[in-house]
Amino acid sequence: MRDYRRYLLREADPKRSVRYVNNALAALDDFYVRRGLGKADIAREDIPKTASKAMNGPAQIRWLRAIEDWPHARDRALALLPFYAGLRIGDSVALDVPDAHLSARKGVLVVYGKGGKVREVPIHPQLRQPLID
């Protein structure tokens, strides 16, 4: 089993990912148990930590500046909704004009989220202008 693990990670063409190797070893463990041979005692590979996909400060500033220069108000609003209101892409696309309730100073978005849940999200001041346009 150790030789097979080493083969998959280093010698196979194409070389396999750590997740693939761990899944293959788990399948072999299950096979050994079902055959009555007991669990194959082989160490798994450590799965590398993946970085978060959030933008850092300079990337956020570049993103916001690029959106400010965009000519179409609808596109600006769709790009700013996830940033300022925390909406998912699908929630942003599903919004209609009556879902935005704007007053002189405040505003609320009625969002229909996953599972049919309805929630009200306050409108950030930076988000008001693209929604008005």
Side-chain angles (χ1 to χ4, degrees), residues 30-45:
D30 184 57
F31 176 73
Y32 275 44
V33 169
R34 290 176 190 263
R35 297 293 297 171
L37 300 172
K39 191 171 181 175
D41 194 23
I42 187 74
R44 302 290 195 271
E45 293 291 320

Side-chain angles (χ1 to χ4, degrees), residues 7-19:
Y7 167 77
L8 287 175
L9 284 171
R10 295 178 184 88
E11 300 168 12
D13 187 36
K15 295 177 185 169
R16 304 298 183 185
S17 70
V18 174
R19 283 189 173 88

Side-chain angles (χ1 to χ4, degrees), residues 72-83:
H72 304 290
R74 176 183 162 270
D75 296 340
R76 279 196 312 271
L78 281 174
L80 291 175
L81 280 168
F83 189 80

Side-chain angles (χ1 to χ4, degrees), residues 101-108 122-123 128:
H101 303 285
L102 296 169
S103 65
R105 292 188 185 179
K106 296 182 181 180
V108 169
I123 296 176
R128 287 179 62 80

Side-chain angles (χ1 to χ4, degrees), residues 40-61:
D41 194 23
I42 187 74
R44 302 290 195 271
E45 293 291 320
D46 291 330
I47 296 177
K49 302 269 187 211
T50 56
S52 64
K53 295 183 181 182
M55 290 188 280
N56 58 9
Q60 288 179 359
I61 292 169

Side-chain angles (χ1 to χ4, degrees), residues 61-88:
I61 292 169
R62 284 193 311 272
W63 170 254
L64 292 174
R65 285 183 181 159
I67 292 170
E68 286 175 4
D69 295 336
W70 200 257
H72 304 290
R74 176 183 162 270
D75 296 340
R76 279 196 312 271
L78 281 174
L80 291 175
L81 280 168
F83 189 80
Y84 285 121
L87 300 184
R88 295 179 182 95

